């Protein structure tokens, strides 16, 4: 039995029980009607059912850079994000600036890494520039900035796309907690502790282990996140850092973008060092956290398989969608396909209720506790 009362031995997930032979209408009504008469009818049926899920519950991409013209691109803010979110009926994107972006590159092995040492203040300056980019985005381009759960609910009700201000890696702090307070004042509500650049907070998965986990300053940062009202995201952190963070945390943590170690759905991938073990995932889930699965799969169907792999380990109450939509693409080309992703989840055997949790409900639970 996990913390949310699911006992996987007693309540097998639908994809294990052959629910795919049931039509989506039948699943919605809880009945057992036969499948639709044609493939086209079934496609229309799943699209309608996916839209119903997205109307009923707030959907959230728990880790995003907004795509090709997003916050990590050189493009100025534009209407693209709002237009594509509307097209795919995505309610909320956690839009992350990347403070160590200016020093990232491919290392000799072709893997993304910090390839230069930052100048003092350099990453802070870049972070401030990106905050200004977001200010312009929300002022002029049809996106609301949500500062509370009530803001997210109001935006969803009004059918207006919203962002949660997010930062991927607190490399800009340089041990100055007042910079975290400033980020909160500027509208940030979600922060990831580490990324690709060695910092004073803790060890990250793709770097040398120098702290043996979380540092005392890292513990202070987690307590400050709780005090200020920020979702604390431990993506990229080593398993040791995560387990030590969980000892300090008094609220559920998010691990926003990864996949299960050895994921058959991903297959061979250079992202193996960024995947997480079963134990790592269970540690996040146990106190009520959630694990976002990125979109680096060969197809939407494989993406759904990746969600199932994690749900089989931690349960559907602890899985989210954290695409990492970026300048490079994965199984989603852009947000116009969000509704197709939810339809693929329904086709793949997730119930509408479980699809709603994974597509946003689980993040909303964490956000309400962390931010209010
Ligand atoms: Zn990342
Ligand atoms: Zn990212």
């Amino acid at each position: 039995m996990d913390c949310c009362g699911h006992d996987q031995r007693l309540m097998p997930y639908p994809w294990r029980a052959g629910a795919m032979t049931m039509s989506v209408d039948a699943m919605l009504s809880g009945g057992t009607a036969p499948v639709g008469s044609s493939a086209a009818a079934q496609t229309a049926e799943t699209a309608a059912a996916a839209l119903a899920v997205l109307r009923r519950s707030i959907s959230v991409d728990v880790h995003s850079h907004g795509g090709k013209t997003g916050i990590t691109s050189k493009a100025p803010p534009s209407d693209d994000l709002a237009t594509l979110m509307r097209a795919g009926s995505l309610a909320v994107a956690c839009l992350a600036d990347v403070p160590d972006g200016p020093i990232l590159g491919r290392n000799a092995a072709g893997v993304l890494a910090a390839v230069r040492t930052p100048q003092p203040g350099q990453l802070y300056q870049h972070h401030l520039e990106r905050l200004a980019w977001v200010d312009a985005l929300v002022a002029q381009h049809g996106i609301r900035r949500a500062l509370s759960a009530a803001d997210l609910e109001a935006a969803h009700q009004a059918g207006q796309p919203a962002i949660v201000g997010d930062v991927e890696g607190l490399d800009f702090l340089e041990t100055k907690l007042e910079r975290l307070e400033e980020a909160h004042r500027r509208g940030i509500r979600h922060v990831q502790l580490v990324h690709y650049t060695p910092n004073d907070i803790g060890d990250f998965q793709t770097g040398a282990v120098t702290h043996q986990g979380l540092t005392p300053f890292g513990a202070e940062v987690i307590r400050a996140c709780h005090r200020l009202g920020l979702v604390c995201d431990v993506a990229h952190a080593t398993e040791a850092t995560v387990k030590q963070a969980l000892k300090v945390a008094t609220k559920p943590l998010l691990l926003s973008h990864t996949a299960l170690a050895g994921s058959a759905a991903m297959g061979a991938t250079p992202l193996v060092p960024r995947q997480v073990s079963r134990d790592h995932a269970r540690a996040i889930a146990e106190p009520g956290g959630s694990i976002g699965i990125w979109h680096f799969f060969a197809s939407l169907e494989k993406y759904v398989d990746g969600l199932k792999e994690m749900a089989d380990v931690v349960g559907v109450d602890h899985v989210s969608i954290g695409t990492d939509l970026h300048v490079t693409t994965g199984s989603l080309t852009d947000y116009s396909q969000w509704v197709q992703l939810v339809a693929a989840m329904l086709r793949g055997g997730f119930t509408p209720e479980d699809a709603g949790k994974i597509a946003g409900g689980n993040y909303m639970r964490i956000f309400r506790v962390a931010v209010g």
Side-chain angles (χ1 to χ4, degrees):
M1 183 82 70
D2 72 14
C3 69
C4 296
H6 279 90
D7 188 323
Q8 295 183 23
R9 286 160 304 167
L10 298 177
M11 296 176 57
Y13 289 126
W15 56 88
R16 296 175 184 156
M20 280 170 281
T21 56
M22 200 195 289
S23 77
V24 171
D25 272 354
M27 285 200 290
L28 283 169
S29 64
T32 53
V35 295
S37 57
S38 71
Q42 278 188 51
T43 303
E45 197 180 85
T46 42
L51 270 178
V53 168
L54 296 173
R55 267 191 224 108
R56 206 167 39 237
S57 54
I58 301 175
S59 60
V60 186
D61 184 349
V62 307
H63 183 76
S64 175
H65 306 288
K68 286 192 177 64
T69 55
I71 192 166
T72 52
S73 73
K74 301 256 187 289
S78 73
D79 292 347
D80 289 2
L81 186 58
T83 303
L84 292 165
M85 286 176 73
R86 278 182 199 280
S89 294
L90 170 62
V92 182
C94 298
L95 187 66
D97 85 63
V98 181
D100 65 347
I103 60 162
L104 297 184
R106 301 274 160 194
N107 65 15
V111 175
L112 200 60
V115 292
R116 284 179 293 280
T117 303
Q119 299 299 315
Q122 182 188 2
L123 306 188
Y124 177 52
Q125 281 313 315
H126 182 63
H127 162 69
L128 291 179
E129 275 170 32
R130 294 291 92 184
L131 287 181
W133 188 97
V134 174
D135 287 347
L137 177 78
V138 299
Q140 296 153 21
H141 298 287
I143 292 270
R144 282 195 199 182
R145 172 162 38 204
L147 303 178
S148 65
D151 287 352
L152 291 170
E153 282 156 15
H156 180 243
Q157 203 101 49
Q160 191 172 11
I163 57 159
V164 169
D166 186 0
V167 184
E168 179 156 30
L170 290 177
D171 306 311
F172 69 92
L173 291 187
E174 296 171 296
T175 71
K176 295 179 173 65
L177 271 184
E178 59 271 25
R179 290 184 182 172
L180 190 65
E181 290 165 16
E182 177 190 41
H184 182 269
R185 270 200 312 279
R186 294 287 303 271
I188 297 295
R189 290 293 180 270
H190 175 152
V191 294
Q192 183 181 304
L193 300 179
V194 295
H195 195 217
Y196 286 110
T197 299
N199 69 19
D200 300 305
I201 293 172
D203 294 321
F204 57 102
Q205 290 173 301
T206 51
V209 169
T210 57
H211 302 300
Q212 317 311 317
L214 189 77
T215 66
F217 177 66
E220 257 186 80
V221 169
I222 292 170
R223 286 190 281 267
C225 286
H226 291 348
R227 178 166 46 81
L228 290 166
L230 294 159
V231 172
C232 184
D233 185 343
V234 291
H236 285 260
T238 61
E239 190 164 336
T241 302
V242 167
K243 289 188 172 168
Q244 291 168 32
L246 285 162
K247 289 203 176 99
V248 173
T250 54
K251 297 179 180 178
L253 301 180
L254 179 77
L255 196 169
S256 65
H257 57 299
T258 187
L260 190 65
S263 165
M266 283 193 84
T269 167
L271 289 167
V272 163
R274 283 277 295 104
Q275 296 176 340
V276 298
S277 71
R278 283 165 168 71
D279 213 39
H280 188 150
R282 285 194 195 105
I284 291 286
E286 201 270 324
S290 191
I291 298 116
I293 304 298
W294 53 36
H295 76 135
F296 303 117
F297 295 88
S299 65
L300 289 182
E301 285 68 32
K302 289 280 182 200
Y303 193 178
V304 172
D305 288 345
L307 295 169
K308 287 183 196 173
E309 287 172 338
M310 189 56 82
D312 278 336
V313 173
V314 295
V316 293
D317 293 294
H318 305 285
V319 181
S320 297
I321 295 172
T323 62
D324 204 7
L325 205 63
H326 214 280
V327 285
T328 52
T329 54
S331 56
L332 283 177
T333 307
D334 59 49
Y335 280 139
S336 66
Q337 290 179 298
W338 183 263
V339 64
Q340 293 167 36
L341 171 60
V342 175
M345 290 168 71
L346 297 175
R347 274 198 311 277
F350 284 105
T351 65
E353 190 198 354
D354 290 346
K357 289 177 179 177
I358 292 171
N362 294 334
Y363 181 83
M364 287 301 299
R365 178 186 73 228
I366 293 168
F367 188 92
R368 283 180 215 282
V369 175
V371 179

